Amino acid sequence: PQGGLNRQTFQDSGAVWHNTFIAQYFKRPQHQLLANVNYFLTTGPLGHEFKVGGSFRNTAVGSVGIWPGGLIAFQKGSGACSVDCGAITRQSNSRTAVTYYSAYASDTLTMDRLTASIGLRYDDQKGTVQAASVPENALFPNILPAASAAQRSGVVHWQDVSPRVGLTYAVGASRKTLARLSYARYANQLGAGSPVSPLSAIPGVAYAYYPWNDANSNRLIDAGELDTSGTAIRTINFNPANPSAPVSVHRIDPNLKSQKTDEVVAGVGHELLPNFAVDVAYTYRHSKDYWFSHRIGLTDADYHLDHTVTGTLPDGTPYSAPIYSINGGRAAVPSGFIAENRPNYSQDFNGAELTLNKRLSSGWLMRGSFAYNDSKQKVGRGACVDPTNGISGTFTAFGGEDSVPGICADGGLVAPNAGGGSGSFGNVNLQSKWQFNVSGAYQLPLGFTVAGNFYGRQGYPIAYYVIDATSADGISRRAYATKVDADRYGWAHQLDLRVDKAIPITSTITASLAVDFFNVLNDITITQRNSRLLQASKTTGTNTIFETQSPRILRFSGRISF
């Protein structure tokens, strides 16, 4: 971090970080072996293309996170605590590995007008938590002593069989119309991070939050200012009853399965004119077996409505965000989280696309497309253990496989958060119901070519939310104050143009000069604002612009080909 490793970190009431930040170190060694065979065969009227293959891959992930000085100071209003508080930290040393085995076999059959593809894929994925150790917090070794964790093999083991079938049929004597139908199942890949790494006794940086009295107002935790005489406000990534325990406080359902998506695509393509074709396709996807995490041993019956945060949106519209908390307050909060498949939860996608394609002939080409899609989630009983309408995995050890805002809203729009709720894209939610693109090029005399591309899409949703840490159980929560797509950014669009000139030098060497004009109309669309409410900071407060479309750019370039 720019502030170095010898300064203490402070976060003010506007959630702005000061002095320095976390230092992180990552290792990503990987070993991979691939093999495949293609074989062509004819049996009577049938042509076959057999494909058989497999792979082995071992991916290890090592990461270390260190908060300088072993302490973080949080001002009331930052979202960490309901009062001024300080976090005692112990560095992380996460070491995990995942071994992947896969095999597939397929046959593409051709017979007159019909082409059929039939395939099967097998995946075996196994996660291992490797041995690791971390030193004590030098200032509070009694709260966060040194810890070591032994290796745990096969903590997650997924085995999946995925079928694939595709049919293409040429219609009519001229065979200018192609009808297509396909089905495929896809199984998600197991990551070397969650849900594997939290099963280590050292799943990440350990935090113990205690009340802080900044007696000299220097925004630093000095000796005697942190009240550790009572129970911690909350703890993360360790067991306060046994802080050096060699076993993780977190659990994973032994029956945890990979997320699976079933996809059906139907389409028709027709050549209207020579070198000019139109294509229409419909896609349906059903995704299930998402995994999510919640506090061990709790159900939605263990929560009650604690309070409701109210206020007004930037446009003056009133909002209310219900905040739930655990029955029994802080004393009833379990130390660990469990990862399991999310019950009674699925996502459905419906999409249609129209494509027009003019292949290069007579000196010009063109391609245009328009797509419309709709993706909704189904949320049933048990799919939201904590009824607070947040984002999957936020403020939990495991995170979650679907970072969807408004996670408890049955029938709500699926707009995945690009940053998982944090980071430089933490306010970007990816979902446009429509988008289009038109591009083309024309060859002029004397080796000149002019080309252009015009793109547009519906603006992404602005999902306004609050972060609240005032509930009786002391847990900080995110709650969305509006429907995900109640507000959207303006539609994004861009026109790009290009002119290039080919210059023959010799029979084997050619030079070309080009001018590219990006964002010709100089549209500066806002693409990200701070959608967290109740932030008064003049630099990072609510609705502050974080990102915009790049302005007009003119680029000159040259190239030599030989």
Side-chain angles (χ1 to χ4, degrees):
Q2 288 184 344
L5 297 177
N6 297 316
R7 304 180 69 189
Q8 198 180 105
T9 307
F10 168 75
Q11 190 181 43
D12 66 24
S13 59
V16 178
W17 295 96
H18 298 269
N19 302 335
T20 189
F21 201 62
I22 193 171
Q24 293 179 301
Y25 309 87
F26 303 95
K27 291 183 179 180
R28 297 288 189 273
Q30 186 172 141
H31 302 274
Q32 187 171 11
L33 177 65
L34 303 171
N36 60 77
V37 176
N38 285 29
Y39 185 74
F40 299 89
L41 177 68
T42 300
T43 57
L46 285 176
H48 300 267
E49 181 185 355
F50 294 104
K51 294 182 180 180
V52 179
S55 68
F56 162 81
R57 182 161 59 98
N58 180 267
T59 302
V61 173
S63 63
V64 175
I66 303 173
W67 283 101
L71 292 171
I72 313 172
F74 293 98
Q75 198 171 48
K76 178 182 177 181
S78 65
C81 308
S82 59
V83 297
D84 289 350
C85 66
I88 301 169
T89 68
R90 183 175 65 193
Q91 75 167 68
S92 66
N93 184 16
S94 176
R95 299 179 66 246
T96 60
V98 179
T99 302
Y100 306 89
Y101 295 94
S102 67
Y104 68 88
S106 68
D107 182 15
T108 301
L109 303 94
T110 55
M111 183 180 65
D112 193 26
R113 302 173 183 272
L114 178 67
T115 300
S117 178
I118 303 173
L120 199 65
R121 178 183 176 90
Y122 172 74
D123 290 282
D124 186 295
Q125 309 177 80
K126 184 179 293 185
T128 295
V129 177
Q130 299 175 323
S133 61
V134 290
E136 65 185 17
N137 181 290
L139 298 176
F140 296 90
N142 59 318
I143 294 175
L144 285 171
S148 296
Q151 178 167 304
R152 298 180 61 191
S153 300
V155 292
V156 182
H157 191 189
W158 290 346
Q159 295 173 299
D160 294 286
V161 177
S162 305
R164 315 277 167 87
V165 179
L167 300 172
T168 302
Y169 187 77
V171 181
S174 61
R175 304 191 181 191
K176 291 185 177 182
T177 302
L178 292 178
R180 305 183 310 278
L181 179 65
S182 67
Y183 163 78
R185 166 167 284 193
Y186 303 95
N188 269 26
Q189 180 175 283
L190 176 62
S194 286
V196 178
S197 59
L199 297 180
S200 167
I202 311 167
V205 175
Y207 301 86
Y209 292 80
Y210 290 91
W212 167 47
N213 176 26
D214 189 12
N216 55 11
S217 301
N218 66 349
R219 306 202 299 184
L220 297 174
I221 300 174
D222 297 310
E225 291 186 347
L226 205 62
D227 183 7
T228 60
S229 60
T231 303
I233 295 174
R234 74 176 187 276
T235 60
I236 299 175
N237 288 333
F238 78 100
N239 183 356
N242 190 359
S244 59
V247 179
S248 173
V249 297
H250 307 302
R251 301 287 182 269
I252 193 165
D253 184 346
N255 298 316
L256 183 72
K257 298 179 290 186
S258 65
Q259 179 206 320
K260 286 171 280 292
T261 298
D262 292 294
E263 179 186 78
V264 176
V265 180
V268 177
H270 180 69
E271 187 179 54
L272 293 173
L273 300 169
N275 299 312
F276 183 76
V278 59
D279 189 274
V280 179
Y282 165 75
T283 301
Y284 170 75
R285 298 190 192 103
H286 177 74
S287 301
K288 61 181 182 179
D289 291 335
Y290 288 89
W291 63 265
F292 77 141
S293 59
H294 59 88
R295 295 189 180 268
I296 293 174
L298 300 185
T299 68
D300 54 3
D302 295 300
Y303 287 79
H304 68 277
L305 178 63
D306 190 280
H307 63 282
T308 300
V309 180
T310 60
T312 56
L313 299 174
D315 64 358
T317 303
Y319 72 83
S320 62
I323 308 293
Y324 293 79
S325 68
I326 298 172
N327 300 337
R330 295 179 183 176
V333 178
S335 298
F337 292 85
I338 183 171
E340 60 184 4
N341 290 113
R342 194 174 177 193
N344 299 316
Y345 181 84
S346 62
Q347 294 179 8
D348 288 303
F349 171 89
N350 289 276
E353 183 174 16
L354 170 67
T355 304
L356 302 174
N357 188 27
K358 164 64 172 64
R359 292 186 294 271
L360 179 61
S361 62
S362 303
W364 69 282
L365 62 85
M366 184 276 292
R367 179 181 175 86
S369 65
F370 177 83
Y372 179 85
N373 69 81
D374 184 61
S375 186
K376 296 290 180 63
Q377 63 179 358
K378 295 179 180 179
V379 184
R381 183 66 186 272
C384 279
V385 176
D386 183 340
T388 305
N389 195 27
I391 188 170
S392 177
T394 305
F395 306 120
T396 74
F398 285 94
E401 199 165 31
D402 57 328
S403 55
V404 177
I407 197 165
C408 294
D410 183 32
L413 188 74
V414 174
N417 184 273
S422 63
S424 57
F425 294 100
N427 295 275
V428 178
N429 298 290
L430 306 173
Q431 206 284 334
S432 293
K433 289 190 174 182
W434 56 263
Q435 66 181 43
F436 67 86
N437 194 89
V438 179
S439 61
Y442 190 82
Q443 295 175 329
L444 298 169
L446 303 177
F448 284 95
T449 299
V450 294
N453 187 86
F454 185 57
Y455 164 82
R457 63 162 173 80
Q458 183 183 30
Y460 288 153
I462 308 176
Y464 288 104
Y465 67 94
V466 297
I467 292 182
D468 182 90
T470 63
S471 58
D473 57 14
I475 297 175
S476 181
R477 290 178 171 85
R478 176 189 296 244
Y480 282 86
T482 62
K483 290 184 176 180
V484 174
D485 59 341
D487 298 277
R488 286 183 178 267
Y489 296 102
W491 73 293
H493 53 284
Q494 182 164 311
L495 173 65
D496 303 324
L497 299 176
R498 175 184 174 91
V499 178
D500 66 57
K501 169 74 167 78
I503 306 173
I505 298 177
T506 69
S507 59
T508 59
I509 301 176
T510 303
S512 64
L513 300 176
V515 180
D516 291 289
F517 208 1
F518 301 103
N519 195 4
V520 175
L521 303 177
N522 203 34
D523 295 304
I524 312 298
T525 305
I526 296 171
T527 53
Q528 184 180 183
R529 291 180 180 270
N530 183 6
S531 53
R532 179 178 170 183
L533 299 168
L534 305 176
Q535 298 292 287
S537 169
K538 294 181 179 180
T539 56
T540 61
T542 301
N543 239 30
T544 298
I545 297 173
F546 281 172
E547 185 183 48
T548 66
Q549 184 178 357
S550 297
R552 181 187 296 132
I553 295 173
L554 187 63
R555 183 180 71 184
F556 300 89
S557 62
R559 182 178 65 191
I560 296 179
S561 304
F562 55 90

